[in-house]
Amino acid sequence: MQRILLIVAFLAISCVLMAKKPGKTYQNPVINYSLPDPSIIKGEDGYYYLYATEDIKHLPIHRSKDLVEWEFVGTAFTKDTRPNFEPKGGLWAPDINKIGDKYVLYYSMSVWGGEGTCGIGCATADKPEGPFTDHGKMFRSNEINVQNSIDPFYIGDGGKKYLFWGSFRGIYGIELSDDGLSVKKGAKLRQVAGTAYEGTYIHKKDGYYYFFASIGTCCEGLKSTYTTVVGRSKKLFGPYIDKSGKKMLDNHHEVLIQKNEAFVGVGHNSEIVTDKAGNDWMFYHAVSTKRPEGRVLMMDKVEWKGGWPSVAGNSPSTESARPVF
């Protein structure tokens, strides 16, 4: 009897320890409800904070310490603080950054099909979870002469600050003010990619700028054709090219992530996050073929081969080794 009790006690303790220790793998989707257009940043508190489109009224915020287990912490805006420069407009495609001592959140504001009046605004906070103070509109499409001005992406380079944006009407970039909250006076607008793209993200690595974007349709459920693509350049403003030297200005690119039997509509990737082992990870959204409601949050490891990024199988994983933290 004593031996049996000891065995039972040992098994109970083992179960507790196993429950506390995370598994060696994770499964996609990492969040199984709709969180399109993810953007991510690491806060000073050690958490990674993720922002997404889905709540078009307020923009939801989640946080995690291991990129796998996420908790909802609030929204960037409330009913009283949300931007209002586009009447009845939704908030789309947030892009979070740390500029100086402020967290700066760029966002799109548009009604569906409002390519002429949609625009990009910004808000700031002292902490990544907010509260965010809206600074309002930076520009509208018809004010900056870029039709469909949505999907902002910020990058600092060479001591200067830049914003890139656009959606299937060309991708453009321009220099910002020192605080990143407005377009620099006299700055020149420059086109960097053609009319096949939206969801811009630029990543600098080993002397190259890698231009990630999405092609196809984002929001047609199981019929969505969204695909994540990439090109590279030695200069921030290009020309960005594919492996054969053809330009993204002419809508040429390399495919990074495409659909498979489990997920379709794969695109609008986040910033690349590096774990403690030096592995690179990318978030994006997809439509699950098993549960096609919404666009769920996905994560996959990015490997670098011959100077180009790749994802295993060029398509979403269902189960993979976890990031190392």
Side-chain angles (χ1 to χ4, degrees), residues 31-214:
I31 297 181
N32 198 19
Y33 50 83
S34 197
L35 286 173
D37 313 332
S39 180
I40 190 169
I41 195 169
K42 188 174 184 180
E44 295 179 0
D45 57 3
Y47 281 97
Y48 289 92
Y49 287 82
L50 185 138
Y51 305 71
T53 293
E54 185 53 27
D55 183 347
I56 63 171
K57 294 182 178 180
H58 305 130
L59 297 178
I61 306 172
H62 294 69
R63 71 177 184 179
S64 172
K65 284 197 171 180
D66 62 6
L67 303 182
V68 176
E69 306 296 334
W70 292 89
E71 62 176 340
F72 175 75
V73 295
T75 58
F77 303 108
T78 67
K79 180 180 178 181
D80 295 327
T81 64
R82 76 183 302 270
N84 58 12
F85 71 79
E86 175 68 311
K88 300 181 180 180
L91 296 171
W92 300 349
D95 180 56
I96 187 67
N97 303 273
K98 185 75 179 293
I99 302 177
D101 61 352
K102 296 287 186 180
Y103 289 90
V104 180
L105 182 68
Y106 298 97
Y107 59 83
S108 315
M109 196 167 198
S110 180
V111 295
W112 194 258
E115 294 189 6
T117 59
C118 63
I120 292 171
C122 60
T124 58
D126 295 325
K127 300 181 294 184
E129 65 268 35
F132 280 86
T133 299
D134 183 42
H135 294 267
K137 177 190 68 174
M138 297 176 71
F139 53 79
R140 289 182 186 268
S141 299
N142 55 16
E143 295 169 347
I144 204 163
N145 296 321
V146 176
Q147 189 177 357
N148 215 13
S149 284
I150 61 172
D151 292 1
F153 167 72
Y154 166 87
I155 186 171
D157 188 68
K160 296 181 179 181
K161 301 170 177 65
Y162 300 95
L163 192 73
F164 291 81
W165 74 96
S167 174
F168 303 129
R169 301 293 184 266
I171 304 297
Y172 291 81
I174 202 166
E175 188 176 350
L176 299 179
S177 58
D178 289 341
D179 60 9
L181 303 183
S182 61
V183 173
K184 184 177 180 180
K185 187 176 181 180
K188 182 181 178 182
L189 181 70
R190 300 170 66 179
Q191 185 174 357
V192 294
T195 56
Y197 311 108
E198 67 175 6
T200 303
Y201 165 59
I202 301 173
H203 180 73
K204 189 175 183 181
K205 180 181 175 66
D206 298 333
Y208 282 98
Y209 296 88
Y210 293 87
F211 187 101
F212 298 86
S214 299

